[in-house]
Amino acid sequence: MAHVIAVVNQKGGVGKTATTANLAWSLVAAGHSCLAVDLDPQGSLTISLGFDPDAQTGHTIYEAMVLPADHPHHHALTPLPVDIMGLALVPANLDLAAAELDLNAQYQREFALKRALTPIRSTYDFILIDCPPTLGILAINALAAADAVLIPVGTNYLSLRGLQLLLRSIRLTQQHMNPTLEILGIVGTLYDRRMAHHQDVLQELRKIFPPQGIHVFDSVIARSVRFEEAAMTGRPVVDYAPTNPGAEGYRLLAQEVLTHYGAG
Ligand SMILES: Nc1ncnc2c1ncn2[C@@H]1O[C@H](COP(=O)(O)OP(=O)(O)OP(=O)(O)O)[C@@H](O)[C@H]1O
Ligand SMILES: [Mg+2]
């Protein structure tokens, strides 16, 4: 059975998509099969892994998750093979923006993603879900479907704000929908060691969260222009620029995740 990990933070631009793509790739490179699920109508993960979101209509997460089973365009998930053996992608595009409305009419709408993933859960070692920057019905579906939450946090001051709101949503999900959901941990992203306040934020993270029982990963993801370049070429940094410190950070994160699951 796959370990299902939702990569969540309602703050935009903190590296959720970069984390999903690079962690997925690194887990596969370490010998574990992985399905990456794009749950963001922006389709950034789809682009980062080399696909054109606009060309995917008909077999995105939207048709599998939102359209009822008796709808003519409903389909069971058929992930696309990505450019490394063992990695697959369920794409997304703007069609998913209609999910909020469409799901409204559905019975147990918080569990639509969980239902869609059930038939393929035993196919992969890991399923990583890239969430949109909101705490709406899509992110709630990810929390309901996941075993664990991975929270990328930018190491600039403003990134700490809003984390309490996210943790509250996670607690509510645990209470009402998914009692076994665990917080895998927080990973510091966009880190620039030349910036004193980035070091301060990192220290703050390490001071505040472990006493609350929330793990903060040793791996920290360095900021680098290579990330933008990589995303434009449709490859994650771990493949595009493997010696980049950001790539190194994601490989270490994959090792830490594998150790957590006793697979390292
Ligand atoms: N370590 C990094 N160094 C430099 N740039 C990065 C890094 N990680 C991500 N980026 C870039 O920062 C931008 C935001 O990253 P990303 O898309 O991963 O964040 P996100 O949290 O998924 O954003 P959104 O909330 O819009 O979904 C992108 O242009 C990405 O290429
Ligand atoms: Mg994103």
Side-chain angles (χ1 to χ4, degrees):
M1 269 309 205
H3 302 294
V4 183
I5 302 172
V7 182
V8 187
N9 191 336
Q10 81 276 17
K11 186 165 168 50
V14 294
K16 292 179 289 295
T17 300
T19 298
T20 309
N22 284 284
L23 179 59
W25 195 282
S26 302
L27 289 169
V28 170
H32 304 267
S33 62
C34 187
L35 176 68
V37 179
D38 194 345
L39 198 63
D40 186 347
Q42 298 178 98
S44 311
L45 180 68
T46 302
I47 298 168
S48 309
L49 291 176
F51 294 87
D52 172 10
D54 296 335
Q56 307 308 324
T57 292
H59 54 271
T60 69
I61 190 66
Y62 173 76
E63 288 85 2
M65 173 183 164
V66 179
L67 296 182
D70 58 356
H71 190 284
H73 293 148
H74 171 86
H75 70 88
L77 281 179
T78 43
L80 304 166
V82 178
D83 220 6
I84 177 174
M85 184 87 122
L87 179 58
L89 168 74
V90 180
N93 62 24
L94 269 178
D95 294 344
L96 188 58
E100 195 97 22
L101 272 179
D102 292 351
L103 283 172
N104 261 336
Q106 267 194 31
Y107 176 68
Q108 293 205 321
R109 63 199 188 114
E110 295 85 358
F111 295 101
L113 179 61
K114 190 182 171 103
R115 283 193 294 267
L117 292 178
T118 299
I120 52 168
R121 271 200 69 165
S122 55
T123 312
Y124 301 92
D125 298 325
F126 288 92
I127 298 178
L128 266 49
I129 307 168
D130 183 28
C131 291
T134 58
L135 282 175
I137 188 66
L138 289 172
I140 299 299
N141 262 273
L143 293 177
D147 304 313
V149 185
L150 173 62
I151 309 173
V153 175
T155 49
N156 54 328
Y157 273 130
L158 287 176
S159 291
L160 284 177
R161 295 175 62 90
L163 265 185
Q164 291 307 331
L165 178 66
L166 174 58
L167 294 172
R168 192 165 152 264
S169 299
I170 294 170
R171 274 196 297 274
L172 285 173
T173 308
Q174 288 166 330
Q175 281 164 18
H176 298 292
M177 285 183 279
N178 188 355
T180 56
L181 179 67
E182 68 164 336
I183 299 181
L184 190 56
I186 291 174
V187 57
T189 57
L190 298 161
Y191 179 68
D192 187 340
R193 64 187 164 84
R194 293 165 304 182
M195 309 279 253
H197 77 271
H198 282 216
Q199 297 174 26
D200 294 345
V201 171
L202 208 53
Q203 271 179 10
E204 244 350 57
L205 288 174
R206 297 203 192 289
K207 194 170 84 191
I208 300 173
F209 291 104
Q212 299 179 32
I214 298 171
H215 181 63
V216 178
F217 285 100
D218 289 340
S219 321
V220 176
I221 312 304
R223 181 186 288 266
S224 161
V225 291
R226 295 288 189 174
F227 278 83
E228 300 267 351
E229 293 172 19
M232 284 188 326
T233 61
R235 289 156 65 195
V237 159
V238 289
D239 180 48
Y240 175 78
T243 59
N244 182 267
E248 179 65 15
Y250 278 120
R251 278 195 299 275
L252 285 174
L253 178 66
Q255 282 312 320
E256 286 188 80
V257 169
L258 288 170
T259 302
H260 173 85
Y261 287 111

